[in-house]
Amino acid sequence: MRTIRHRAAAVAASALVAGLALTACGTGESSAGKDFGAAGASVSTPPPAEQQTQGDEKQQTPADQISSDANAAPKTNPGAHSGTNSGTGTSTKSGTGTTTGNSKSGTTKYTACTGDNTKVKISKVSRPINHLLLTVTNTGNKNCDAYYAPALRFDDAQAPTQVIEDSKPQAVVTLAPGESAYASIPLGGDGAPDIPVSELTVYFTGRANQGSVGSPSAPLTLPAGTQISDSTSVTYWQREMADALTW
């Protein structure tokens, strides 16, 4: 009886060991399968290098294209207008006292009165006292302008005769052929005339007022007994004789 019990116990023990071995083996295969399946689900096979490169090129803009777009010239409006403005103007001066300038209405010529196109006369007046009167007459066939004041030279005097600036008219005196302009010469000025003179030469000023232009007048013989002083002066050319003798 004891022998049978021992064998039964041994058989039962063997069966238990075999069952445990089978159980352990089955559990290992299932775990490996589950682990592999999980790994297979989470890890994907990367696409070939060529296919990956082509996909990237389709999604990204090339750097050189970006640079080209950034530096491209801005588009122009085909309806925009453009234009340029230009203008010319010329001015020439000649020694004859003629100035030419372009204007919208055409060409305007300025001809200075000189000894070439005028005749000058000198005379003594009773009022005001110690005054001489210059008269310049246009002897040409077109207008001339009597600019500023006449430049006077008594005999061989070197010093210029001073000009009365307050006598400046509002506009240049323009003489048509045959017309005259006037200038007075206060002989005493601020002092008594005491320098005997016998001859006077008249020079003409140009439009630019930079020295004389053209020819001077022929030497004029002064009235007998004419005397000047260091302060003798002359007015600007005036259109009216009375205006010249005001000074």
Side-chain angles (χ1 to χ4, degrees):
M1 289 296 292
R2 185 175 295 177
T3 301
I4 294 173
R5 289 180 180 173
H6 281 294
R7 288 182 179 175
V11 172
S14 298
L16 179 60
V17 171
L20 291 174
L22 291 174
T23 302
C25 182
T27 301
E29 289 178 356
S30 176
S31 174
K34 289 181 180 179
D35 293 344
F36 180 81
S42 61
V43 178
S44 59
T45 304
E50 182 180 356
Q51 180 178 351
Q52 182 177 2
T53 302
Q54 292 177 354
D56 292 344
E57 290 178 351
K58 291 181 181 179
Q59 295 177 2
Q60 297 178 355
T61 303
D64 58 347
Q65 182 177 341
I66 295 175
S67 175
S68 176
D69 291 343
N71 297 328
K75 295 181 180 179
T76 58
N77 183 1
H81 297 278
S82 63
T84 58
N85 295 324
S86 62
T88 58
T90 59
S91 176
T92 59
K93 298 177 182 176
S94 64
T96 60
T98 301
T99 303
T100 303
N102 290 340
S103 62
K104 293 182 179 179
S105 59
T107 301
T108 302
K109 293 183 178 180
Y110 303 93
T111 302
C113 296
T114 68
D116 301 314
N117 55 15
T118 65
K119 181 180 180 179
V120 183
K121 183 177 71 171
I122 184 115
S123 57
K124 185 177 181 178
V125 295
S126 57
R127 290 286 185 275
I129 62 172
N130 293 328
H131 274 64
L132 296 178
L133 178 68
L134 277 176
T135 303
V136 58
T137 303
N138 183 355
T139 58
N141 56 9
K142 59 183 178 181
N143 293 355
C144 73
D145 295 320
Y147 292 109
Y148 303 98
L152 307 182
R153 181 177 182 181
F154 291 94
D155 289 346
D156 294 328
Q158 300 299 317
T161 303
Q162 61 185 353
V163 176
I164 303 174
E165 291 297 333
D166 289 342
S167 67
K168 183 176 182 179
Q170 293 183 347
V172 174
V173 177
T174 299
L175 302 179
E179 291 185 339
S180 299
Y182 308 90
S184 68
I185 305 172
L187 297 173
D190 294 332
D194 56 0
I195 304 172
V197 288
S198 59
E199 193 175 78
L200 173 66
T201 302
V202 177
Y203 294 84
F204 296 86
T205 306
R207 187 167 184 257
N209 194 22
Q210 296 179 351
S212 62
V213 296
S215 300
S217 71
L220 304 174
T221 300
L222 294 169
T226 300
Q227 293 182 328
I228 62 173
S229 69
D230 291 336
S231 57
T232 294
S233 56
V234 64
T235 67
Y236 277 73
W237 290 114
Q238 309 290 329
R239 180 168 295 281
E240 301 297 333
M241 181 188 302
D243 293 336
L245 294 175
T246 299
W247 308 93

